Amino acid sequence: MSAFISFFTFIIISNAHEDLQEKIQTLKNDYTDNQKELIKNHVNYVINFIDYYNEVNKDKKSQETIQKEVVEIVQKLRISASPNEYIFIYDFNGNLVHDSVFKNNIGQNFLEIKDIHNTEVIKELIKASKKYLGGYVEYIWYKPEIGKQVNKISYAKSYDKWNWTI
């Protein structure tokens, strides 16, 4: 009788564990999908702003001045206080134009940078950005606030007028 009860209890716990694991996976997928949509919207918002600002000022200021002002404004456009949510900009050659986290790296070329899985991160971001609707890139990147490499997902879309990947 004791063995039967133990076996029956094991079956119930095992089934409950499997159900819980499925629910956890569903929650993770839903969260990831929501986060992906948020970053896509954020990038599109920034691109729309850049295009508007450029159109309003293109006959009044040089492109270089407009770009410099845009970078200053984008720095202030942070939607969240989270250090995980920020905009970075590369030109199509892999030069860092703007990064609110790694400011000391601005102007450096990162085209050949690979993550620990050998993904050419910046090349992939630029390639994804050139697609009609942009695209997502998953990679491993250093996170300074915790001091280690972590999984990241970025949405990239280009601002073709300036050959920028946002």
Side-chain angles (χ1 to χ4, degrees), residues 44-82:
N44 285 322
Y45 168 77
V46 169
I47 288 174
N48 289 338
F49 164 76
I50 291 171
D51 195 48
Y52 170 78
Y53 195 84
N54 182 47
E55 289 301 313
V56 167
N57 291 290
K58 69 181 179 184
D59 296 329
K60 302 173 192 170
K61 302 175 183 180
S62 71
Q63 182 175 328
E64 183 180 320
T65 300
I66 297 169
Q67 288 175 340
K68 184 184 272 189
E69 290 174 353
V70 161
V71 166
E72 290 171 6
I73 294 167
V74 167
Q75 174 69 29
K76 296 177 187 336
L77 286 179
R78 293 190 67 145
I79 291 176
S80 167
S82 170

Side-chain angles (χ1 to χ4, degrees), residues 75-123:
Q75 174 69 29
K76 296 177 187 336
L77 286 179
R78 293 190 67 145
I79 291 176
S80 167
S82 170
N84 300 321
E85 299 172 13
Y86 60 94
I87 294 290
F88 51 89
I89 303 170
Y90 286 88
D91 67 22
F92 287 173
N93 295 318
N95 299 306
L96 183 61
V97 174
H98 166 73
D99 189 316
S100 58
V101 175
F102 298 102
K103 294 176 186 168
N104 293 339
N105 293 336
I106 292 172
Q108 294 181 31
N109 187 284
F110 289 89
L111 195 61
E112 302 300 323
I113 294 295
K114 296 180 182 180
D115 71 3
I116 60 174
H117 296 299
N118 222 25
T119 301
E120 294 177 309
V121 177
I122 307 310
K123 283 183 182 178

Side-chain angles (χ1 to χ4, degrees), residues 2 4 23 44 61 104 106 134 138 161:
S2 177
F4 178 72
K23 288 178 183 176
N44 285 322
K61 302 175 183 180
N104 293 339
I106 292 172
E138 295 184 34
K161 292 177 184 176

Side-chain angles (χ1 to χ4, degrees), residues 2 6 11 20 24 30 35 40 46 56 63 75 84 94 97 106 111-112 115 118 126 128 136-137 145-146 149 152 159:
S2 177
S6 295
I11 296 292
L20 181 60
I24 288 171
D30 288 349
Q35 290 300 110
K40 180 179 179 180
V46 169
V56 167
Q63 182 175 328
Q75 174 69 29
N84 300 321
V97 174
I106 292 172
L111 195 61
E112 302 300 323
D115 71 3
N118 222 25
I126 292 168
Y136 295 96
V137 177
E145 62 273 6
I146 61 172
Q149 304 271 343
K152 300 242 343 179
Y159 185 65

